Amino acid sequence: MYRLEPQAREWIDRSTVLRFLFEDAPCEGYAGDTLSSALAASRPYFARSFKYHRPRGVLSCANHDSNALFQVDGIPNVRGDVTLLREGMHVAAVNTFGGLARDRARILDRFARFLPVGFYYKAFHSKRWFPRWERMFRAITGLGSVTLSAERRTTPKRYGFCDVLVIGGGPSGLAAALAAAEAGARVTVVDEAHRLGGASVLNDAERQAFDSLLRAVQASARIAVLSATAAVGCYADRWVALAEPERLTKMRAQAVVFATGVIEQPAVFRNNDLPGVMLASGAWRLAERYGVAPGRSVVMVGANSEAYSVCRDLAARGVRIAAIVDLRAASAAGPGTAGAGADDRGAGGACADAAACASLGIPILKGFAPCEAFAGRDGRVCALAVAPIDEIGRGGAAAGSPRRIECDAVLMSVGFAPAGQLLLQAGAGAAFCAELQQFVPLDLPAGLFAAGRVNGVYEFAARLADGRRAGAQAAAHAGFGAGSAASIERSTRRPSHPFPIFGHPAGKNFVDFDEDLQVKDLENAAQEGFDSSELLKRFSTVGMGPSQGKHSHMNALRILARVRRVRVEELGLTTFRPMYHPVPLKLLAGRGFNIERRTPLDGRHRALGAVWMPAGNWRRPEYYAVEGESREQSIEAEVEAVRTTVGLIDVSTLGKIELYGPQAGAFLDRAYAGSYANLRVGTTRYGLMLDESGVIIDDGVIARLGAERFYFTTTTGGSASVFRELSRLNALWGLDCALVNVTGHRAAFNFAGPASREILQSLTDVDLGEASFPYLAAREGSIAGVGARVLRVGFVGELGYEIHVPASGAARLWQALYEAGRPRGLRPFGVEAQRVLRLEKGHLIVGQDTDGLTDPFEAGARWAVSMKKPFFVGQRSLKILESRGPRQKLTGIEVLDAARVPKECHLVIDRGAIAGRVTSVARSRTLGKTIGLAMLAPPLAEPGSEIRIRAEGGEMLAARVVAVPFYDPDNLRQRAGLAA
Amino acid sequence: MKIMICPLNGARPVSEFVYGGEVRHAPEPARCSDAEWSDYVFNRSGSPGIKYEWWCHIASGFWFIALRDTARDVVLATYPADKARELAPVDPRS
């Protein structure tokens, strides 16, 4: 290949030379070049294949060249045919061991016959050895290499919205965009190339028409253009993933036009993969955009009028065409058979191109086909052997001696496959049109429209018309304009040859360039019984390489159809799944996003030395670190403060719900296990929530603040799910009440300890006297100037007040309580001290001491269940469970050796079998014991019985079952504030 | 991503919603056998078909009923939650 004189419309800027390194050798290109065009202009070949490590060059230059993948500046598998050249790039070929020219694995090409399709399934199925072979194959194959030390490349994601999304910026796509915009729709056009223009070969008149279309698109205020952007997935309700170079756009469109065009397909003959053998449209793109000629002596293998158009175009650029080998016979036959001449029907331009080629003196061999290409010393193609097509038998042996044409490039223009993968993903069907030898879309889902060559519309004027039709219909679907009554006018010629595949006894006639699959590989796979399109794909891996079958799927179907002696349309397509095109993982990777909630007092905790722990999605102080104290000492001191004077804990993380309405009490009676309709105003009651199977799912304190007004708490972890389920129950039952989730609106503290009443009384006018504000009462009033709801609770087993205030007043009240309590020895306490305190009282924590199977009878919470009520969630199941008796019981335990502390979830072993587990355990300094809760089999659960706990390292610890509460069994301290 | 038509909030992306299970008819607790009740509590039908389902719009906390073809994953219609009482009457005694 070589550079031509400057071309009229080339995309490169020859005044700016860019220098880069290809495998450490200095190379040059121009600004606007792609890696492939710069390398193609200067080197015989620049890549090697995946399996046999054969030299490879340019194929399509249309974003689908799976052999032109490079390692660029540490990034693997960069596509050479679309990646723009930059100054100073360091580029290397993938699939080589020791560089492109000296690749040590090129020897594999000579062993090809020992590596037939599926060889690894047959040869390496020993379980013992497979991991070793797997590692070896991973090393030999495998595209680019990932640099694990590479920096993280984060790219943004965004949402996009438009009325009509047009995928494809060729003639039909732009016509569709204009038509939709004219109807009033906001339109976005995406194209995977850097510039709009599409992939088809245009003559001068067509280019001028296209340019005026492009100017109109650029002038339209309603049309946005995203170039270098691939539409890679089409999901439900017209949600399309757009992969831009450095961004992912999640585009929601009211209607989508798929003007995705067609992908040119290779002819299959021996050595059709040699560097220099390429698609005709690819050669045209190289010449038109980058001023690179495919060769100095070019042979065209054609089967359609596009072959002549390209030859005429290249000849006009000064490229010598050595011959045109036309697969079609001179005498016209009917469509659907090899050698049909039906192509040129009704296509005057195409006839003109053929006549022009003939008048230029280009030899035209009608009814000939390629037998074999030959490689020269530089690895590139140096000659093509051709023979009359009917003389090439099925086995590939030519009857007569083939004619040899010396050349340095072979172009293939034998047919196209629709780029309909996205449409099929989106739910469209496909019908095989035998006249066109192409699948065309069928039964498009609502809001999806196809236009142009993907529809089988090939002539330029017809493509514009089809684009306008689809654009108008899409706009109408989105609510703009009256649509279009036009129908799709498919081409009457046949752009694709029905079987451009030619056997050869020596093989190496490649169907899939990604995976180096030859014709015989597919034939063998089919003959071994993998003879449906899906099975053939999986066994042979055809279409499973980086180009996902864009150049191989159609030919593989044709081979399979011939082996099975059926028509292509009887086979059906394989399922197409996202992504349509390989997408860098950086575009898909999400950012780390973990919600962490902080209470309004977070800053106070930090100032007090809080050591944090996660609780649900909150962060809470585990304890407050004090200089000179260990963690254990701090926790013990916090416990002691609560037991002897007063402590303060932030419980703002509790779920907090308000409930209003005449039937609020009835609602709680149905939703919770206890009775609430009879709760007196100004009192509280424990609330236990069950699911339909009778399992405990949450608990909290329910306060009645008024006749039709309740306020209640849920666990920290359950706040969102409990509120959601209560909302659902309210919607289901339709009672006259309403719920409000005030979890974030309100803060709460537990102010507990023998001195709590006295200190709190100094800050409020609410009478805290035992008679006027007894245990389990609830009052509203002002504390230190902050409006508060105060609940008299006993969770930690001391006189205590749970104070709920608006979040805005939380810091002020906390500070007031802290300062009032400090002279008396107040300590703020964290979650860990609270766990010890409540354990000393034997109070369970839902989710820690209960699990997904624990019912109230097992948890010792029968007292919180009112079975006499007509209905509550879980009641019917509890009736069944009650009659059966518990399978396990939550009991208090005391480890006999007080110095030993087992861990939560350690198992209780009885006569060699698991008989329970420890659910909570702590060293209680108050009691001088190691105490805990355990879920035990009923026979072990009687107070006094001895159990054995399997602790760490298999050590068995002896423990005794004891009654709870461990501390203040008569609850005198929390009820009356008396010393026990 | 799919679009769900919430009866309260209109068309919203499905990521704003959570699924709340199929709308099912509870047997009357006082009259059904233990076996009938257990069947209701523990067994669900996973067979694809057209089903009424509970859905919740998370941001607004609004529960509603969707009629969905689970074989094709197409929401055919949505209704306010009153529909659930129509489909599975609530025990009137409480």
Side-chain angles (χ1 to χ4, degrees), chain A residues 292-464:
Chain A
V292 175
R296 295 181 191 279
S297 177
V298 177
V299 176
M300 169 67 77
V301 174
N304 49 26
S305 59
E306 281 83 353
Y308 292 90
S309 306
V310 171
C311 284
R312 187 185 187 186
D313 179 281
L314 291 176
R317 296 174 198 271
V319 176
R320 180 176 166 264
I321 310 294
I324 298 174
V325 179
D326 194 328
L327 304 184
R328 299 165 299 175
S331 58
T337 57
D343 180 14
D344 291 340
R345 250 188 304 144
C351 285
D353 288 333
C357 288
S359 71
L360 286 170
I362 299 172
I364 299 173
L365 302 169
K366 284 248 176 199
F368 272 68
C371 312
E372 176 175 6
F374 300 94
R377 298 188 64 180
D378 64 355
R380 282 178 62 86
V381 64
C382 69
L384 182 71
V386 299
I389 194 162
D390 6 324
E391 289 182 20
I392 303 179
R394 285 269 335 264
S401 77
R403 196 190 299 192
R404 185 178 162 113
I405 309 170
E406 302 301 317
C407 63
D408 64 352
V410 176
L411 308 187
M412 302 177 283
S413 179
V414 297
F416 304 91
Q421 290 90 334
L422 277 174
L423 267 170
L424 292 164
Q425 266 177 36
F432 191 74
C433 174
E435 290 73 32
L436 295 166
Q437 284 293 309
Q438 178 185 327
F439 283 97
V440 291
L442 185 76
D443 301 331
L444 275 71
L448 305 187
F449 303 87
R453 292 198 292 174
V454 73
N455 258 347
V457 178
Y458 275 80
E459 269 47 67
F460 186 78
R463 286 156 69 190
L464 296 184

Side-chain angles (χ1 to χ4, degrees), chain A residues 915-957:
Chain A
R917 70 173 207 282
V918 176
T919 62
S920 289
V921 72
R923 176 97 182 81
S924 165
R925 191 157 171 262
T926 316
L927 303 166
K929 292 172 181 171
T930 293
I931 56 170
L933 294 174
M935 200 56 98
L936 296 176
L940 294 178
E942 293 307 313
S945 71
E946 291 214 354
I947 59 168
R948 289 163 66 75
I949 299 163
R950 190 177 181 278
E952 254 163 2
E955 188 191 6
M956 302 303 287
L957 298 179

